[in-house]
Amino acid sequence: MTLNLLIVEDEDLTRDCLLNYIPWKEIGISEIKTAKNGEHALEVIEEYKPDILLSDVRMPKMDGIELSKRVKNIYPECKIVFISGYADKEYLLSAIQLNALNYIEKPINIDEITETMKKVVEICINQMKREQITNKIFEMFNENLWLIHKTVIFELLKPDVDINTLDKYGFDLNKKYIPIVAFLSSDDNGNNEVLIKNNEELIEKIIDNKIIMPFDFYVAFSEYNQLIFVINYYINPEIVLDILKQNLKESYKNIDITVGIGKTINDITKSGEIIKELILFLKVKQFYNGKNKTYYFEDISQNHKIEDVDNRIHDFEELLKNNQFEQAKKIVNDLSILCNERKYKDIEKVKGIYLEFLFKIYEVGRERGLTIKLEKKERSHTWKVIDRIPTLSELDQYICLTIDEIFNIFKNRGKLDKKVYQIISYINDNFSDKELSIMKIANYFYFSPNYLCNIFKKATGKTINDYITEVRIEKAKAFLKDRSIKLYEVAEMVGFGDPNYFSSIFKKKVGVTPSVFKERFYYD
């Protein structure tokens, strides 16, 4: 391994002494060039890439600090050692900020400089070896780089990081890193297919970018909609975000992205703690402040304890039972305003309150014959739906829309007569009857078919046949969640004599076949 050195010193005697009295070849330096000031050094650097910069601090035209800043922009891996007779705090601070490896005072001591440069050379050689290993790893696994990235990210998330695993995959343990977390969300909060479908393709495109080398950053999905980057400290996070956004446009449509940029990871053993802290911070920020924004990490203080909401939930239920749906929605809206003002840190607990609202909606709906009883697994699935809603405003909207969807028929209660309610109850009680029809219902209530259809459509906005189909499909969804019931049995249980016709109608209304719906419920 060969290393190149650039000596920058404005004093001829000192420059010659450094060049001729230190055993450069013995300590591993194969090529040396010199410059008399910063401007001269930049001219030399145009055709000469130094691995190590040994520079005086105070020089005419351009001092060593300014020179080092420019060199770092061009060759960020270049190692810097300063020499100066002016060891004041200002210059020492500048040297630290530039990550200089050492700061040597004049008059120079040959033995001191030799020992210092031996250590610098050792650092360079170790880094070059690590990069060679890393390059070999990436050559061997070129088609599966995303898997290497995933392995590293998941290791960094662990409470006890395995240093050996990181080193095995070329992770430079001597560098500082910055974590970046991105939350992706589709327009349909309950549908994660669009987010899962192209995840591997997205990661491969990001890794294959032409701007940042694969071993200068690592990226992986920690959850279906949660993307984590860990980048070398010297990389500008904005560059990473530009790469991400460009590839998102190519891989997805109608995807929102919310980004959190974390604090520096100085100690890699604490990476999991820092990344998880950033994830929590970003969830809270997104929940209250919205999506499609970039947030820089800051400590979140919790000043408010979440109040007891039992009275709110009780009042909410009573209003639903009394068909006072707008007042029920106002309870939800008022809670949202309170949460937004206080910005509770425990957003899972906040979502749990909205989940209780949702359960009450289903319970009252079940009493009216409009919804089914939620079993244990269905209640768990409902929590997943709530948990995937990323913002407070969307959560509020989801609860209120659910009220409208389930109780829409009762909004026009004043315009409905008792017979319409009886017709609805009759259909809910007899949906499994294969002979259920407009004529059968009309005969049961002693109406003419035309009159029956007219009063039902006027009251509900739906035809009787459409309502019968809706009830049957909703009941079918419930039966499909029971693994012991076969598909043809479900068709019979909801009043379809022909399983193929049932499957066709189900797909038309739900968007997927009954068999696909059944599998999704069990593997979601």
Side-chain angles (χ1 to χ4, degrees), residues 2 27 60 124 202 208 245 380 408 410 448:
T2 59
I27 65 176
C124 289
L202 173 64
D208 195 38
K245 290 174 182 177
S380 175
N408 185 55
F410 295 96
S448 71

Side-chain angles (χ1 to χ4, degrees), residues 141-258:
F141 298 97
N142 189 43
E143 294 182 358
N144 293 309
L145 286 180
W146 65 271
L147 187 56
I148 295 174
H149 279 240
K150 183 177 180 179
T151 301
V152 170
I153 290 294
F154 274 70
E155 189 62 47
L156 292 172
L157 284 168
K158 292 179 180 178
D160 299 314
V161 177
D162 186 347
I163 301 299
N164 293 327
T165 298
L166 295 177
D167 191 54
K168 176 183 176 182
Y169 289 101
F171 189 89
D172 192 339
L173 300 168
N174 295 315
K175 291 182 178 177
K176 295 188 289 185
Y177 292 87
I178 298 174
I180 300 174
V181 175
F183 292 159
L184 310 182
S185 56
S186 66
D187 291 338
D188 183 358
N189 295 308
N191 180 14
N192 61 10
E193 286 182 28
V194 67
L195 297 176
I196 295 174
K197 184 178 179 182
N198 299 324
N199 278 3
E200 185 177 318
E201 176 187 330
L202 173 64
I203 294 295
E204 288 177 345
K205 285 181 178 179
I206 293 172
I207 294 172
D208 195 38
N209 78 88
K210 307 302 180 186
I211 302 173
I212 309 174
M213 294 296 290
F215 44 83
D216 281 342
F217 76 104
Y218 292 86
V219 58
F221 278 94
S222 58
E223 295 180 13
Y224 76 95
N225 66 337
Q226 186 171 284
L227 194 61
I228 295 180
F229 290 85
V230 175
I231 66 175
N232 281 350
Y233 181 77
Y234 64 81
I235 297 174
N236 187 338
E238 295 297 329
I239 295 174
V240 177
L241 297 185
D242 287 343
I243 293 170
L244 171 60
K245 290 174 182 177
Q246 180 60 41
N247 286 292
L248 276 173
K249 289 180 182 178
E250 297 174 4
S251 299
Y252 303 95
K253 291 182 179 179
N254 301 321
I255 291 291
D256 295 316
I257 174 173
T258 308

Side-chain angles (χ1 to χ4, degrees), residues 248-387:
L248 276 173
K249 289 180 182 178
E250 297 174 4
S251 299
Y252 303 95
K253 291 182 179 179
N254 301 321
I255 291 291
D256 295 316
I257 174 173
T258 308
V259 177
I261 299 174
K263 59 186 179 183
T264 305
I265 302 174
N266 295 308
D267 180 355
I268 208 63
T269 63
K270 296 181 179 178
S271 60
E273 175 187 332
I274 291 173
I275 295 172
K276 288 173 183 176
E277 192 178 24
L278 174 61
I279 291 171
L280 174 60
F281 161 80
L282 187 57
K283 282 183 178 179
V284 173
K285 280 291 185 180
Q286 177 180 254
F287 189 66
Y288 294 111
N289 297 348
K291 301 181 292 187
N292 290 321
K293 297 180 181 179
T294 297
Y295 300 100
Y296 286 84
F297 179 82
E298 57 184 316
D299 289 328
I300 304 174
S301 57
Q302 180 65 67
N303 298 321
H304 300 286
K305 183 179 179 181
I306 298 178
E307 65 173 36
D308 187 354
V309 293
D310 288 346
N311 290 336
R312 289 178 186 259
I313 292 172
H314 175 267
D315 293 344
F316 177 79
E317 182 179 16
E318 290 301 310
L319 289 169
L320 292 180
K321 288 180 177 180
N322 292 310
N323 302 327
Q324 295 176 284
F325 306 115
E326 295 304 318
Q327 292 91 327
K329 287 192 284 186
K330 187 175 186 305
I331 287 182
V332 179
N333 298 152
D334 288 345
L335 179 64
S336 299
I337 292 171
L338 177 68
C339 291
N340 196 50
E341 287 175 350
R342 299 189 174 182
K343 292 186 168 44
Y344 299 116
K345 185 176 179 180
D346 190 352
I347 59 175
E348 283 199 3
K349 190 168 183 179
V350 173
K351 288 185 175 184
I353 297 171
Y354 287 81
L355 181 67
E356 288 300 319
F357 282 142
L358 197 59
F359 285 157
K360 291 302 179 185
I361 294 170
Y362 278 102
E363 286 175 15
V364 175
R366 181 171 60 84
E367 293 172 2
R368 306 286 180 84
L370 300 173
T371 60
I372 60 170
K373 181 180 179 181
L374 294 180
E375 303 298 340
K376 184 177 179 180
K377 185 163 187 176
E378 291 164 328
R379 290 174 75 90
S380 175
H381 179 76
T382 305
W383 164 248
K384 289 181 182 178
V385 173
I386 290 292
D387 191 42

